[in-house]
Amino acid sequence: MDFDIVEIKGYYDTEIINYDFTNLKDWGISEENAHFLIDIGVPEQYDDFSFYESGAFQVKVIEGEEYIQIGQFASYGMRDSYGLYLKQGSDMFFTTSSLDKSNVYMLNKNLRTFFLFHLIRSELATKMRLEGTYTSDKYARALRVYFEKIDPIAMTKVTGHICWKTTKQGCNFSRNLAWFYL
Protein backbone atom coordinates (compact mmCIF):
# COMPACT_ATOMS: atom_id res chain seq x y z
CA MET A 1 0.00 0.00 0.00
CA ASP A 2 1.15 3.51 -0.79
CA PHE A 3 0.14 6.39 1.44
CA ASP A 4 -0.12 10.08 0.58
CA ILE A 5 0.08 12.20 3.74
CA VAL A 6 -2.36 14.73 2.24
CA GLU A 7 -5.08 12.06 2.67
CA ILE A 8 -4.85 12.49 6.46
CA LYS A 9 -6.94 15.65 6.06
CA GLY A 10 -9.90 13.40 5.24
CA TYR A 11 -9.77 12.13 8.81
CA TYR A 12 -9.80 15.58 10.42
CA ASP A 13 -13.07 16.42 12.16
CA THR A 14 -12.26 20.04 12.99
CA GLU A 15 -10.81 23.01 11.17
CA ILE A 16 -7.13 23.12 10.36
CA ILE A 17 -5.19 25.61 12.47
CA ASN A 18 -3.56 28.41 10.48
CA TYR A 19 0.06 28.99 11.43
CA ASP A 20 2.58 31.58 10.33
CA PHE A 21 5.92 30.12 9.21
CA THR A 22 8.00 32.94 10.68
CA ASN A 23 6.18 32.68 13.99
CA LEU A 24 6.80 28.92 14.11
CA LYS A 25 10.49 29.47 13.39
CA ASP A 26 10.61 32.13 16.15
CA TRP A 27 9.32 29.47 18.58
CA GLY A 28 12.26 27.26 17.56
CA ILE A 29 10.23 24.74 15.57
CA SER A 30 12.32 22.94 12.94
CA GLU A 31 11.81 23.69 9.26
CA GLU A 32 10.53 20.14 8.68
CA ASN A 33 7.80 20.49 11.30
CA ALA A 34 7.02 24.10 10.37
CA HIS A 35 6.50 23.08 6.74
CA PHE A 36 4.19 20.26 7.82
CA LEU A 37 2.16 22.62 10.00
CA ILE A 38 1.81 25.06 7.09
CA ASP A 39 1.56 22.71 4.07
CA ILE A 40 -0.57 19.88 5.53
CA GLY A 41 -1.74 21.37 8.78
CA VAL A 42 -3.12 19.97 11.99
CA PRO A 43 -6.68 20.23 13.27
CA GLU A 44 -7.65 21.67 16.62
CA GLN A 45 -8.93 18.22 17.59
CA TYR A 46 -7.89 14.86 16.16
CA ASP A 47 -9.19 11.77 17.94
CA ASP A 48 -8.07 12.31 21.54
CA PHE A 49 -5.39 14.82 20.52
CA SER A 50 -5.77 18.58 20.88
CA PHE A 51 -3.42 20.91 19.05
CA TYR A 52 -2.90 24.53 20.03
CA GLU A 53 -2.74 27.70 18.03
CA SER A 54 0.75 29.21 18.24
CA GLY A 55 -0.43 31.81 20.76
CA ALA A 56 -1.10 28.99 23.22
CA PHE A 57 2.27 27.23 22.75
CA GLN A 58 4.38 27.03 25.90
CA VAL A 59 8.05 26.39 26.43
CA LYS A 60 8.59 23.85 29.18
CA VAL A 61 11.85 22.65 30.66
CA ILE A 62 11.87 18.87 31.04
CA GLU A 63 14.98 16.92 32.00
CA GLY A 64 16.94 20.18 31.70
CA GLU A 65 15.97 20.78 28.05
CA GLU A 66 13.45 23.12 26.46
CA TYR A 67 10.42 21.67 24.70
CA ILE A 68 7.55 23.48 22.99
CA GLN A 69 4.18 22.17 24.06
CA ILE A 70 1.99 22.27 20.96
CA GLY A 71 -0.90 20.20 22.25
CA GLN A 72 -2.08 17.43 24.52
CA PHE A 73 -3.52 13.94 24.52
CA ALA A 74 -6.41 13.17 26.84
CA SER A 75 -8.63 10.18 26.38
CA TYR A 76 -12.05 9.91 27.99
CA GLY A 77 -11.73 8.88 31.61
CA MET A 78 -8.06 9.85 31.99
CA ARG A 79 -7.19 11.83 35.11
CA ASP A 80 -4.41 13.81 33.48
CA SER A 81 -3.48 14.73 29.96
CA TYR A 82 -0.19 14.01 28.24
CA GLY A 83 1.69 16.93 26.73
CA LEU A 84 2.62 16.86 23.05
CA TYR A 85 6.00 18.47 22.44
CA LEU A 86 8.47 19.49 19.81
CA LYS A 87 12.03 19.96 20.96
CA GLN A 88 13.45 23.31 19.97
CA GLY A 89 15.65 22.93 16.90
CA SER A 90 14.80 19.24 16.47
CA ASP A 91 12.37 17.43 14.19
CA MET A 92 11.38 14.86 16.82
CA PHE A 93 7.89 14.72 18.33
CA PHE A 94 7.55 13.85 22.04
CA THR A 95 5.04 13.22 24.79
CA THR A 96 5.05 12.84 28.54
CA SER A 97 3.48 10.18 30.67
CA SER A 98 0.68 10.87 33.11
CA LEU A 99 2.61 8.69 35.55
CA ASP A 100 5.91 10.53 35.23
CA LYS A 101 5.60 14.04 33.77
CA SER A 102 9.28 14.68 34.42
CA ASN A 103 10.25 12.42 31.50
CA VAL A 104 9.65 12.83 27.78
CA TYR A 105 9.28 10.00 25.31
CA MET A 106 9.88 10.22 21.60
CA LEU A 107 6.77 9.37 19.60
CA ASN A 108 8.07 9.88 16.09
CA LYS A 109 10.91 11.42 14.15
CA ASN A 110 8.63 14.35 13.15
CA LEU A 111 5.01 15.49 12.94
CA ARG A 112 4.61 14.18 9.37
CA THR A 113 5.49 10.69 10.53
CA PHE A 114 3.11 10.92 13.49
CA PHE A 115 0.22 11.72 11.17
CA LEU A 116 1.42 9.19 8.59
CA PHE A 117 1.24 6.50 11.29
CA HIS A 118 -2.37 7.51 11.92
CA LEU A 119 -3.19 7.43 8.21
CA ILE A 120 -1.66 3.95 7.87
CA ARG A 121 -3.52 2.76 10.95
CA SER A 122 -6.86 3.84 9.50
CA GLU A 123 -6.26 2.75 5.91
CA LEU A 124 -4.80 -0.63 6.85
CA ALA A 125 -7.67 -1.47 9.22
CA THR A 126 -10.20 -0.56 6.53
CA LYS A 127 -8.40 -2.61 3.88
CA MET A 128 -8.09 -5.68 6.10
CA ARG A 129 -11.73 -5.49 7.17
CA LEU A 130 -12.91 -5.20 3.56
CA GLU A 131 -10.78 -8.20 2.63
CA GLY A 132 -12.08 -10.17 5.62
CA THR A 133 -8.55 -10.72 6.93
CA TYR A 134 -8.68 -8.48 10.01
CA THR A 135 -7.70 -9.90 13.39
CA SER A 136 -5.97 -7.84 16.06
CA ASP A 137 -2.85 -10.02 15.77
CA LYS A 138 -2.61 -9.74 11.96
CA TYR A 139 -3.31 -6.04 12.11
CA ALA A 140 -0.68 -5.47 14.80
CA ARG A 141 1.96 -7.41 12.84
CA ALA A 142 1.18 -5.52 9.62
CA LEU A 143 1.31 -2.16 11.42
CA ARG A 144 4.64 -3.03 12.93
CA VAL A 145 6.09 -3.83 9.49
CA TYR A 146 4.96 -0.46 8.11
CA PHE A 147 5.99 1.48 11.20
CA GLU A 148 9.46 -0.08 11.36
CA LYS A 149 10.11 0.89 7.72
CA ILE A 150 8.98 4.49 8.22
CA ASP A 151 10.37 5.33 11.67
CA PRO A 152 12.67 2.57 12.95
CA ILE A 153 14.02 4.72 15.79
CA ALA A 154 10.53 5.22 17.22
CA MET A 155 10.03 1.47 17.04
CA THR A 156 13.22 0.67 18.94
CA LYS A 157 13.10 3.46 21.53
CA VAL A 158 9.95 2.14 23.08
CA THR A 159 9.88 3.51 26.60
CA GLY A 160 6.66 2.76 28.37
CA HIS A 161 4.17 3.28 25.56
CA ILE A 162 4.43 0.33 23.25
CA CYS A 163 5.38 -3.20 24.11
CA TRP A 164 6.53 -4.99 20.97
CA LYS A 165 8.07 -8.10 22.47
CA THR A 166 6.74 -10.71 24.81
CA THR A 167 8.15 -10.19 28.28
CA LYS A 168 7.85 -11.99 31.59
CA GLN A 169 4.80 -9.85 32.27
CA GLY A 170 3.19 -11.17 29.08
CA CYS A 171 3.17 -7.89 27.17
CA ASN A 172 3.10 -8.12 23.41
CA PHE A 173 2.09 -5.70 20.70
CA SER A 174 -1.03 -7.52 19.60
CA ARG A 175 -2.54 -7.36 23.07
CA ASN A 176 -1.02 -4.10 24.30
CA LEU A 177 -1.35 -1.93 21.22
CA ALA A 178 0.27 1.47 21.06
CA TRP A 179 -2.18 3.79 22.74
CA PHE A 180 -1.24 6.61 20.38
CA TYR A 181 -1.84 4.68 17.20
CA LEU A 182 -4.52 2.10 17.86
Side-chain angles (χ1 to χ4, degrees):
M1 291 177 73
D2 290 324
F3 302 96
D4 180 357
I5 191 60
V6 174
E7 292 175 21
I8 193 64
K9 291 180 177 184
Y11 292 94
Y12 292 173
D13 291 332
T14 59
E15 294 296 315
I16 293 174
I17 300 170
N18 291 316
Y19 293 105
D20 176 73
F21 187 81
T22 304
N23 182 259
L24 294 174
K25 294 300 293 168
D26 289 346
W27 273 100
I29 292 175
S30 72
E31 280 202 33
E32 172 97 18
N33 287 323
H35 280 294
F36 181 82
L37 290 166
I38 300 292
D39 299 340
I40 303 299
V42 298
E44 291 177 15
Q45 192 73 36
Y46 179 74
D47 288 336
D48 292 329
F49 302 93
S50 297
F51 291 91
Y52 305 153
E53 293 184 11
S54 60
F57 289 176
Q58 297 178 19
V59 174
K60 296 198 175 190
V61 177
I62 305 170
E63 298 176 340
E65 297 191 59
E66 290 187 346
Y67 292 86
I68 309 153
Q69 185 171 6
I70 65 164
Q72 65 183 13
F73 170 82
S75 188
Y76 178 76
M78 288 176 61
R79 288 182 309 165
D80 296 321
S81 63
Y82 300 81
L84 298 173
Y85 300 94
L86 295 172
K87 187 174 178 188
Q88 291 186 330
S90 169
D91 290 336
M92 289 189 251
F93 188 46
F94 297 87
T95 189
T96 53
S97 165
S98 65
L99 300 174
D100 184 4
K101 291 192 183 220
S102 64
N103 288 315
V104 291
Y105 303 96
M106 185 186 117
L107 288 174
N108 290 105
K109 63 184 176 182
N110 55 40
L111 279 172
R112 176 180 300 275
T113 304
F114 174 79
F115 280 95
L116 184 59
F117 272 30
H118 282 273
L119 176 65
I120 291 168
R121 174 198 73 173
S122 298
E123 295 289 316
L124 183 62
T126 300
K127 178 182 183 279
M128 292 177 81
R129 285 186 173 112
L130 289 172
E131 293 171 345
T133 61
Y134 181 93
T135 67
S136 61
D137 287 339
K138 286 181 184 177
Y139 177 59
R141 283 192 297 273
L143 276 180
R144 183 177 180 181
V145 168
Y146 280 110
F147 288 1
E148 284 180 336
K149 287 179 186 174
I150 295 166
D151 196 353
I153 294 171
M155 301 309 294
T156 57
K157 302 244 183 217
V158 188
T159 316
H161 295 296
I162 308 170
C163 198
W164 290 105
K165 299 179 181 118
T166 301
T167 65
K168 292 179 183 175
Q169 292 80 25
C171 177
N172 77 35
F173 180 67
S174 64
R175 288 181 182 58
N176 199 6
L177 297 172
W179 56 273
F180 270 99
Y181 300 112
L182 306 175

